Amino acid sequence: DTGVSQNPRHKITKRGQNVTFRCDPISEHNRLYWYRQTLGQGPEFLTYFQNEAQLEKSRLLSDRFSAERPKGSFSTLEIQRTEQGDSAMYLCASSLPREAFFGQGTRLTVV
Amino acid sequence: QKEVEQDPGPLSVPEGAIVSLNCTYSNSAFQYFMWYRQYSRKGPELLMYTYSSGNKEDGRFTAQVDKSSKYISLFIRDSQPSDSATYLCAMGDPTGTASKLTFGTGTRLQVTL
């Protein structure tokens, strides 16, 4: 499968715990995005990488959120001290440069 | 006011009908436009991509863009039950650093037998 891969698909965590999600983009794509989607809404932009450089972050990305893309390959998104409001679908997309292809997402539930 | 407005539906049509899905936008910087299909609990799947005013056709799908009116549409011909999903419009500003997409809320479509 040469599409965007995200792991895990589902994560249930207790409030206050840290969680980390992984995204493996399409191999030749140098642009990688993280979006968040809540029920009944469209995806909202969180952050953008071009190769290994994080070039833009949304104001939605509080200081509890951190994203990395070491060596310009896979990316991780970590949420520290999770809150119930963090419950959402976290989507990763990659592109070259315009048409963005999404993974299946990681559904986070904070209890 | 949101940058992209999309009627959330739900929209219910009989099998074989022509479906029209629409979005309006307010940001003149948006220059390219996409339509995604999203099944429940899945990621968005790219259906159509266009960057100019006019029509673009791909099989049963036609994307239409009117930049002067800031209005885009997706038409689905001969709709099938398998088309039942949420349809998201998305648009991008090529001058920004990220070329990130701004999405509508999505329109939920139900095609009935």
Side-chain angles (χ1 to χ4, degrees), chain B residues 2-3 7 12 40-41 59 82 85 98:
Chain B
K2 290 185 177 180
E3 283 189 289
D7 188 333
S12 183
S40 182
R41 298 183 176 272
S82 59

Side-chain angles (χ1 to χ4, degrees), chain A residues 36 44-47 56-63 65:
Chain A
R36 181 169 67 188
E44 293 179 292
F45 170 77
L46 291 179
T47 191
E56 189 167 336
K57 293 192 290 187
S58 164
R59 59 179 171 76
L60 293 175
L61 212 66
S62 76
D63 56 7
F65 288 70

Side-chain angles (χ1 to χ4, degrees), chain A residues 12-62:
Chain A
I12 300 174
T13 190
K14 291 184 178 179
R15 189 176 52 187
Q17 297 294 305
N18 299 344
V19 294
T20 300
F21 311 139
R22 176 178 170 126
C23 171
D24 288 272
I26 295 170
S27 58
E28 61 267 29
H29 287 184
N30 62 349
R31 295 179 177 222
L32 186 147
Y33 303 81
W34 285 97
Y35 288 80
R36 181 169 67 188
Q37 186 178 25
T38 53
L39 199 62
Q41 301 297 315
E44 293 179 292
F45 170 77
L46 291 179
T47 191
Y48 161 67
F49 289 85
Q50 185 161 332
N51 299 311
E52 67 276 9
Q54 187 175 20
L55 297 183
E56 189 167 336
K57 293 192 290 187
S58 164
R59 59 179 171 76
L60 293 175
L61 212 66
S62 76

Side-chain angles (χ1 to χ4, degrees), chain A residues 31 33 35 45 48 56 94-102, chain B residues 3-4 23 25 27-36 46 48-54 56 63-67 70-73 88-104:
Chain A
R31 295 179 177 222
Y33 303 81
Y35 288 80
F45 170 77
Y48 161 67
E56 189 167 336
S94 67
S95 76
L96 226 210
R98 300 277 174 85
E99 297 164 77
F101 296 89
F102 283 82
Chain B
E3 283 189 289
V4 180
C23 288
Y25 63 96
N27 188 347
S28 299
F30 290 144
Q31 293 297 318
Y32 57 94
F33 307 90
M34 299 178 193
W35 284 95
Y36 287 86
L46 181 62
M48 300 286 285
Y49 164 68
T50 182
Y51 53 86
S52 58
S53 285
K56 180 178 181 180
Q64 189 174 82
V65 174
D66 182 346
K67 289 185 180 179
K70 297 188 180 66
Y71 187 87
I72 69 170
S73 300
L88 295 156
C89 64
M91 38 203 83
D93 170 8
T95 63
T97 304
S99 294
K100 60 184 179 288
L101 296 175
T102 301
F103 284 83

